[in-house]
Amino acid sequence: MSDLLNVSSSPHVRSKDTTASIMRDVVIALIPAAVFGVYNFGLRALMIILICVASCVVTEYLFEKGMKRKITIGDYSAVVTGMILAMNLPASVPFWMPIIGGVFAILIVKQLFGGLGQNFMNPALAGRCFLMISFAGRMTSFAVEKGNALLQGAMGIDGFSGATPLALVENAENSKAALAVADSGVDVLQMFLGTTAGTIGETSVIALLIGAIYMIYKKVISPKIPCIYILTTLIFMALFGGHLSTGDLPIFLFAQLCGGGLMFGAFFMATDYVTSPITPKGQIVFAVCLGLLTGIFRAFGPSAEGVSYAIILCNLLVPLIEKVTMPVAFGREDEKNGK
């Protein structure tokens, strides 16, 4: 029989993309922000990145080896988890904290639920939130020991002892005095370039945008979720953020955009394949929920940040969002309406 008559089973669409190739592209996209983080915060930032990656890879290998599962460290997903976790940490944390965070992210959130594709929330963010809950003081402190060369990046020693720009904005908005954001000590140019206090990978908007553009160009991610997420957050903060004057609004919104982990979370964490919806309408709902929660946490919560908690909470809503927004097969509209 001719081979032309042999029809393979569906699906018939083929792609050269693999998990390993996609994760490699994500690693490449993270490199600009990681390099700037090392430049900004010193060699200690590099050490934290290496420790996080090593702890994630080793944990995944040992667990799969012990459980006699297929070893999957070659797909680079553990490397991505380690890099994202490290870039969500301050450069001042002790070296044992990245190890704990990496083990929690891989062992508890990823492997115990079946491995890649089975985790119910982003492992790196789960690890970060676990460390934030367990060691809040260390996770929100950017102080360093004077004279430690490993900590002296471009910011210098004094740069680590101050509050993050987003915290300065919140303090300005919460002040009973007539203090505008423009007078709060926030330099929007520094926030855009990244020479400010913050976690290792969140400060430089330029570096994050370079990585985001690369992922969009390689079709690793779609700009739909990040753009809707960012826009929703800015609209919410414009309406409920508590800016003191109309003239203060542009600087306030720019600070909200460039400060904290909004850009990092929108492009590198909210777009995670496993923990974001696959339906077109579901992605819109997901992104709007992210923006609303981030705005609520920032405007009404005790912390100036809110991206991490917004993303993991919305990760939990993904099954419900997909159920509600799942397209109906042609001719089955009545079944969807319960008829």
Side-chain angles (χ1 to χ4, degrees):
M1 183 180 293
S2 172
D3 290 339
L4 295 177
L5 299 178
N6 292 336
V7 180
S8 62
S9 61
S10 61
H12 303 292
V13 178
R14 295 291 184 266
S15 173
K16 295 181 180 179
D17 292 334
T18 63
T19 300
S21 66
I22 291 172
M23 293 300 169
R24 277 199 302 267
D25 283 334
V26 176
V27 170
I28 293 172
L30 285 167
I31 288 176
V35 170
F36 188 88
V38 175
Y39 164 78
N40 203 26
F41 298 109
L43 292 179
R44 187 180 181 88
L46 177 61
M47 291 296 297
I48 291 174
I49 294 173
L50 294 177
I51 291 172
C52 269
V53 171
S55 63
C56 288
V57 172
V58 171
T59 300
E60 183 160 304
Y61 175 81
L62 292 178
F63 180 85
E64 292 175 336
K65 190 74 171 177
M67 299 299 293
K68 294 182 170 50
R69 293 183 182 176
K70 179 183 177 181
I71 305 299
T72 60
I73 58 174
D75 63 13
Y76 299 100
S77 62
V79 176
V80 171
T81 298
M83 290 189 68
I84 292 178
L85 174 60
M87 294 167 69
N88 272 287
L89 300 178
S92 58
V93 297
F95 290 146
W96 51 265
M97 280 181 60
I99 298 176
I100 294 176
V103 172
F104 181 87
I106 295 297
L107 181 61
I108 305 299
V109 182
K110 182 180 179 182
Q111 291 299 335
L112 290 184
F113 285 87
L116 182 65
Q118 305 297 321
N119 46 285
F120 63 99
M121 66 174 61
N122 187 291
L125 274 184
R128 195 248 184 188
C129 292
F130 172 75
L131 293 177
M132 179 68 76
I133 294 171
S134 303
F135 313 102
R138 292 183 181 272
M139 287 290 290
T140 55
S141 173
F142 300 93
V144 298
E145 297 177 4
K146 187 175 182 179
N148 191 334
L150 285 178
L151 296 170
Q152 296 182 24
M155 285 185 61
I157 296 300
D158 293 339
F160 291 87
S161 59
T164 63
L166 206 59
L168 292 174
V169 171
E170 184 185 38
N171 291 337
E173 294 302 318
N174 291 336
S175 174
K176 298 299 182 182
L179 178 65
V181 175
D183 302 322
S184 64
V186 173
D187 188 323
V188 293
L189 179 60
Q190 284 187 351
M191 292 183 69
F192 185 72
L193 297 176
T195 54
T196 60
T199 63
I200 294 171
E202 75 179 12
T203 58
S204 176
V205 174
I206 293 179
L208 292 171
L209 285 177
I210 292 173
I213 292 171
Y214 175 81
M215 290 194 296
I216 293 172
Y217 171 75
K218 296 289 287 185
K219 297 183 179 180
V220 174
I221 66 170
S222 165
K224 179 192 293 186
I225 291 177
C227 291
I228 296 176
Y229 176 17
I230 292 171
L231 182 61
T232 304
T233 302
L234 294 181
I235 292 174
F236 186 97
M237 295 306 294
L239 295 175
F240 305 106
H243 50 88
L244 297 178
S245 65
T246 304
D248 209 29
L249 180 59
I251 297 177
F252 174 76
L253 292 182
F254 191 85
Q256 293 295 327
L257 175 65
C258 298
L262 180 59
M263 296 291 287
F264 187 33
F267 287 103
F268 289 93
M269 292 175 280
T271 55
D272 178 31
Y273 288 1
V274 180
T275 56
S276 61
I278 60 174
T279 60
K281 291 181 180 178
Q283 292 173 354
I284 296 175
V285 173
F286 179 71
V288 171
C289 289
L290 285 172
L292 293 176
L293 282 178
T294 301
I296 290 172
F297 290 145
R298 287 188 173 188
F300 306 113
S303 173
E305 190 48 282
V307 172
S308 297
Y309 293 111
I311 293 178
I312 62 172
L313 286 174
C314 287
N315 287 162
L316 300 177
L317 296 177
V318 167
L320 178 60
I321 292 174
E322 289 187 334
K323 181 178 180 181
V324 173
T325 60
M326 185 67 67
V328 180
F330 180 75
R332 295 181 178 271
E333 289 84 358
D334 290 343
E335 293 183 10
K336 182 178 181 179
N337 296 328
K339 297 180 181 179

